[in-house]
Amino acid sequence: FSIFNPDAVKDVKLIKGGIPAQYGGRASSILDIKMKEGNSKQLEINGGIGLIFSRLSIEAPIVKDKASFIVAARRSYADVLAKPFLTGNSTGSQFNFYDVTAKVNYTINQNNSVFLSGYFGRDVFGNRFGFNWGNSTLSLRWNHVFSSKLFLNATAFYSDYDYLLDTDLKNQRPNNQFRWTSDIENKSIKPDFTYYISPNNTLTFGGQILTYGFSPGSANASSNGAKVTFGSPTKDATEYSAYIGNELKVTPKLSLLLVIIIACFCSCIVESPKY
């Protein structure tokens, strides 16, 4: 299954080479996906029912022609359909995923707009023993028009990926259990400026502060009432970067791209292993 809900996607652009500076130091390719902003004129509901999963999206104006929202959700139900056929140790097995994508936008005036969007998803697989993992993201973007030639997109975002491995998902044997969790967390502030020198000459520049929080693993184990906790060190890191890029369209088929990226990466261990 694709992580992207088609009901929430507005536009998809694949950049296979000549990566613009605002995407950072990517060396291979970029898949740039933009979400819908919601119907600002009337209520619109879309959905679909399939053999494995179903989906539903709702979009509508909050203030007509000024603010709108979209919420799109999916849920698989292979485990629900298989439930009558699961017997013995397979009874109560879970194998499904769900996700919710949402976005709200508000046009303050002709020069300022704000956008708030989020994604929340989880995958579950197992019975008594199993694992699950999930992603949560939240972003706030401010679009400001300085003039007909100069634009700003300032973005702040938060993302979290967590993973769980558990020998007793149903918590039926708390005295004989092993639970392992890990987590990766990101926070970022990123202003992007675009200046149109001429119709064929575009200058982009900006910067980013990006923080990382790595928790490789933390485990709790219990056996016959005896409990022990152990894990790997937790690490924090911060990346500071600035960029400038210039794209010059020489002909309709030929363009020149100049990219300069400066980055500094700092990391540290903030917690020792626990035994």
Side-chain angles (χ1 to χ4, degrees):
F1 302 97
S2 171
I3 191 175
F4 305 107
N5 189 332
D7 291 331
V9 174
K10 176 184 178 181
D11 180 62
V12 179
K13 180 171 65 175
L14 175 64
I15 304 173
K16 296 187 289 184
I19 309 299
Q22 61 266 33
Y23 292 103
R26 303 322 192 256
S28 56
S29 62
I30 292 289
L31 185 63
D32 188 355
I33 298 178
K34 291 181 171 61
M35 287 180 57
K36 290 181 179 179
E37 296 175 1
N39 195 320
S40 61
K41 298 185 180 297
Q42 62 184 12
L43 173 67
E44 183 177 339
I45 300 176
N46 294 292
I49 298 176
L51 295 175
I52 301 177
F53 77 95
S54 295
R55 54 188 174 83
L56 176 69
S57 68
I58 302 174
E59 49 185 308
I62 301 173
V63 179
K64 192 172 183 179
D65 295 325
K66 197 175 183 69
S68 61
F69 76 91
I70 178 172
V71 178
R74 297 182 297 176
R75 209 284 192 184
S76 69
Y77 40 76
D79 53 344
V80 177
L81 297 177
K83 188 175 181 179
F85 308 100
L86 299 177
T87 60
N89 292 332
S90 299
T91 303
S93 295
Q94 302 177 45
F95 37 97
N96 62 71
F97 81 87
Y98 66 86
D99 59 31
V100 178
T101 306
K103 185 175 183 179
V104 178
N105 73 91
Y106 176 60
T107 303
I108 302 172
N109 52 45
Q110 63 179 2
N111 293 327
N112 293 279
S113 299
V114 291
F115 307 85
L116 179 65
S117 59
Y119 170 86
F120 311 93
R122 193 146 207 92
D123 292 72
V124 181
F125 184 84
N127 188 354
R128 292 182 179 87
F129 171 85
F131 49 92
N132 63 65
W133 62 95
N135 286 283
S136 300
T137 67
L138 186 67
S139 67
L140 176 65
R141 180 167 62 92
W142 170 44
N143 175 260
H144 178 67
V145 180
F146 292 97
S147 67
S148 60
K149 290 188 174 183
L150 181 61
F151 303 85
L152 164 68
N153 267 310
T155 305
F157 76 79
Y158 166 85
S159 72
D160 180 79
Y161 167 81
D162 68 277
Y163 176 87
L164 167 68
L165 174 65
D166 198 336
T167 60
D168 187 21
L169 287 174
K170 298 180 180 180
N171 202 31
Q172 296 176 339
R173 298 173 299 171
N175 292 326
N176 292 279
Q177 185 181 29
F178 178 82
R179 174 183 288 252
W180 175 281
T181 59
S182 61
D183 182 88
I184 301 175
E185 185 180 86
N186 292 111
K187 299 174 185 176
S188 173
I189 298 177
K190 187 174 186 287
D192 296 303
F193 293 87
T194 303
Y195 181 66
Y196 294 98
I197 301 173
S198 69
N200 294 322
N201 194 352
T202 303
L203 181 69
T204 57
F205 57 96
Q208 184 178 21
I209 300 175
L210 176 61
T211 66
Y212 302 85
F214 298 102
S215 178
S218 176
N220 295 291
S222 60
S223 177
N224 297 322
K227 296 183 179 181
V228 62
T229 300
F230 58 95
S232 300
T234 299
K235 295 184 178 181
D236 280 352
T238 304
E239 180 181 346
Y240 305 91
S241 61
Y243 73 88
I244 183 170
N246 183 236
E247 183 177 6
L248 177 63
K249 295 182 180 178
V250 182
T251 69
K253 293 185 176 182
L254 176 64
S255 63
L256 302 177
L257 180 65
L258 172 66
V259 175
I260 299 175
I261 298 173
I262 302 173
C264 176
F265 190 81
C266 305
S267 66
C268 64
I269 298 176
V270 297
E271 182 181 333
S272 300
K274 295 178 180 179
Y275 296 99

